[in-house]
Amino acid sequence: MATRTRLELIEKIEGEAQVLYEYEGERIGFAQIRFLSSRHIEKILEGRDPMDALSINPRVCGICGHAHLIATVRALEDCYEAIKISDKALKIREMTLSLELLQNHFKWFYLTILPLLDIEAPIERALEPSRLAGEMIALLAGQYPHNSYAIPGGITGEITPVDLLEFRHRLEQLKEIFRRYLIDVDLDYFVRCDRIEEMLGKKGDLPQAMRTILDLGWERMGQSLDRFIVFGESGFFISGKSTATRMRKHLDLRYLKEEKIQKSAARLVAYRGRAYETGPLARAMVMKTPLIKEAHRRYKDSLFSRILARVCEVPRLLRYLDETLQKLDLSQAAWIDPGPMPKEAKGTGVVEAARGSLIHQIEIEEGKIARYRIVTPTQWNLGNGSRDNLYPAQKALIGLHRNDPAELVFKAFDVCSVCTTK
């Protein structure tokens, strides 16, 4: 059978990507995913003082720069044999990171997914929660984006009761936006919900989007490897990997390998030689989120499950923010002096960013950065594997008819080109 190819530039993502579709008849037989630009951040860091990474790394990305900051500070702190950080500083870092996830989730759903489903919604439904989340991060971290308030030993600056009052006011506004626009139920109800029909029967943009996917018959489209991995641990997320037959909680980063490939600036990454999906669907599978387990039981790791999993994180993160805020003790120290940075050390920092697990690794020699490595979620989800070693987005695209919504399937993984290239 003759093979036809079609090269498509994927835009309206963070950066750009190319997808070379290879058709067998009317269906996609294979897809190459290419990232063509390079950022060279790791090279820029070499030879610098380790603390420079705190101001350089948040510039890796304009969307998830805060996740890069938190991963950086965790990598630096891992270089110490022992380090003490107050519970207050840890909680505030968790809160600002959670807010960046929320901001990303709203923008992705309203600016990427709904237009591809031909659903119109006012742009303010993306911009307003994004503005509020940015202001809340700035209240705790001094500015957003590109702050460097997290440093080894804690955070810079002291939070005042007035800051928290303003923070809570905005948090209530975010909750109201969730109820008014995404789905008309309270947070606790939605977190407990485990029936697809209950969710579909409510008012809001989320049920409308999911009903549209069902009406179009796309609910099983985009099925992928059905293997999930989560490296980040926090008060909200748990690490582990999940396959169709088993769940394993312990992960060892020594089994994480990167590989340079031809025709793309992004490296392949694998755990024990296998590709995995990371991100909201992976987190929900590892955490056994009731509604997502039900979606997966019906439609596997499809477009339907992937979109629902990401939006389902919104109420859970809002509730986590509320609970964390209530436990915050402002009398604790913001920063505890950890002493000088070791002259010879290695460290790893892992966080759960909006698109999935983000890993930073640093090696310090003679007091300078000798090597720095950043492994991003997009490397996992949108790797350019071979026909014998497909990555999640490639697998999801294969078999789609030429009239099927390949762009929607691709962007359901959410692409961050600028984070991903080396």
Side-chain angles (χ1 to χ4, degrees):
M1 182 179 296
T3 299
R4 293 180 297 105
T5 62
R6 177 171 64 89
L7 182 63
E8 185 172 336
L9 181 66
I10 306 295
E11 299 176 295
K12 297 181 180 178
I13 56 175
E14 183 63 6
E16 294 174 343
Q18 280 186 354
V19 181
L20 180 65
Y21 297 103
E22 297 183 15
Y23 285 90
E24 295 174 356
E26 296 297 311
R27 297 192 178 274
I28 297 173
F30 185 58
Q32 296 184 42
I33 301 169
R34 301 169 178 171
F35 298 96
L36 304 180
S37 57
S38 299
R39 63 165 186 266
H40 300 302
I41 286 284
E42 289 91 334
K43 279 291 179 190
I44 292 170
L45 290 169
E46 289 179 8
R48 288 182 173 270
D49 187 292
M51 294 292 281
D52 287 356
L54 293 171
S55 57
I56 293 173
N57 287 354
R59 274 77 179 172
V60 169
C61 181
I63 299 294
C64 53
H66 200 69
H68 283 282
L69 171 68
I70 302 301
T72 302
V73 77
R74 288 181 181 177
L76 292 171
E77 288 172 342
D78 193 42
C79 291
Y80 288 86
E81 286 191 11
I83 190 166
K84 190 174 181 181
I85 305 164
S86 73
D87 187 60
K88 179 177 83 172
L90 291 173
K91 280 187 167 55
I92 289 174
R93 289 183 190 176
E94 287 276 302
M95 292 164 71
T96 54
L97 184 58
S98 298
L99 284 161
E100 188 174 73
L101 266 69
L102 281 170
Q103 184 192 62
N104 272 264
H105 291 354
F106 274 102
K107 289 194 291 190
W108 170 82
F109 181 70
Y110 279 105
L111 302 181
T112 299
I113 298 302
L114 290 195
L116 290 171
L117 291 172
D118 203 21
I119 296 174
E120 292 187 6
I123 194 170
E124 287 75 16
R125 295 182 188 181
L127 300 184
E128 182 64 6
S130 178
R131 178 186 66 79
L132 287 167
E135 289 177 356
M136 292 164 76
I137 296 174
L139 280 168
L140 302 184
Q143 71 175 58
Y144 185 78
H146 303 322
N147 64 63
S148 298
Y149 89 115
I151 58 175
I155 57 174
T156 61
E158 291 288 355
I159 311 303
T160 70
V162 174
D163 292 330
L164 290 191
L165 195 63
E166 293 190 32
F167 187 94
R168 178 167 291 285
H169 175 65
R170 287 169 175 79
L171 180 57
E172 294 303 319
Q173 289 180 280
L174 278 179
K175 291 181 190 175
E176 181 57 27
I177 287 172
F178 165 79
R179 286 189 292 262
R180 183 177 301 172
Y181 301 126
L182 272 178
I183 182 167
D184 185 23
V185 296
D186 65 50
L187 298 184
D188 289 337
Y189 173 89
F190 193 61
V191 169
R192 290 194 305 272
C193 180
D194 61 358
R195 295 186 61 237
I196 299 294
E197 283 72 18
E198 278 191 41
M199 179 273 297
L200 294 173
K202 302 298 180 183
K203 296 178 181 177
D205 296 325
L206 174 63
Q208 184 184 0
M210 306 320 292
R211 286 195 298 266
T212 300
I213 291 172
L214 290 170
D215 291 344
L216 291 167
W218 294 350
E219 64 272 18
R220 290 181 173 79
M221 198 174 285
Q223 293 183 22
S224 184
L225 304 175
D226 216 15
R227 296 196 298 265
F228 308 99
I229 201 160
V230 179
F231 287 96
E233 283 269 7
S234 70
F236 181 69
F237 296 119
I238 59 174
S239 66
K241 64 187 180 81
S242 170
T243 63
T245 55
R246 62 190 303 183
M247 170 89 177
R248 185 182 293 274
K249 290 189 175 179
H250 178 69
L251 299 176
D252 188 337
L253 285 171
R254 289 177 299 178
Y255 296 113
L256 186 150
K257 303 292 182 188
E258 281 189 299
E259 175 190 349
K260 287 184 179 179
I261 54 174
Q262 298 292 320
K263 299 180 180 178
S264 178
R267 295 175 182 169
L268 286 183
V269 63
Y271 184 78
R272 287 182 177 268
R274 303 183 86 189
Y276 286 86
E277 178 171 348
T278 185
L281 179 56
R283 294 193 284 252
M285 294 302 292
V286 171
M287 294 170 71
K288 300 182 179 179
T289 303
L291 190 61
I292 305 309
K293 291 290 287 184
E294 174 62 9
H296 181 267
R297 186 186 68 78
R298 294 187 184 193
Y299 311 124
K300 299 297 181 183
D301 55 338
S302 65
L303 176 72
F304 185 98
S305 302
R306 200 163 284 119
I307 293 173
L308 185 60
R310 184 151 182 183
V311 181
C312 271
E313 281 195 352
V314 172
R316 302 176 81 86
L317 285 166
L318 287 170
R319 194 171 73 163
Y320 177 60
L321 277 169
D322 210 349
E323 293 169 350
T324 307
L325 183 61
Q326 291 177 28
K327 297 173 184 172
L328 201 59
D329 181 359
L330 291 185
S331 68
Q332 294 181 355
W335 178 73
I336 300 169
D337 188 354
M341 179 66 64
K343 298 292 185 184
E344 308 283 335
K346 295 180 180 179
T348 297
V350 185
V351 301
E352 282 305 305
R355 297 168 179 83
S357 300
L358 172 66
I359 301 166
H360 281 222
Q361 293 181 311
I362 187 172
E363 293 184 34
I364 303 172
E365 295 176 359
E366 299 179 352
K368 302 293 184 184
I369 297 175
R371 281 165 290 279
Y372 204 99
R373 178 165 79 153
I374 301 173
V375 179
T376 68
T378 298
Q379 283 178 258
W380 291 99
N381 291 336
L382 295 116
N384 192 28
S386 65
R387 292 175 185 271
D388 298 329
N389 181 31
L390 295 170
Y391 274 63
Q394 290 178 302
K395 180 70 166 59
L397 290 168
I398 288 176
L400 294 184
H401 189 274
R402 60 181 301 169
N403 295 327
D404 286 337
E407 184 180 358
L408 176 62
V409 170
F410 187 83
K411 288 186 175 178
F413 288 93
D414 201 6
V415 190
C416 189
S417 170
V418 296
C419 274
T420 298
T421 54
K422 294 295 181 184

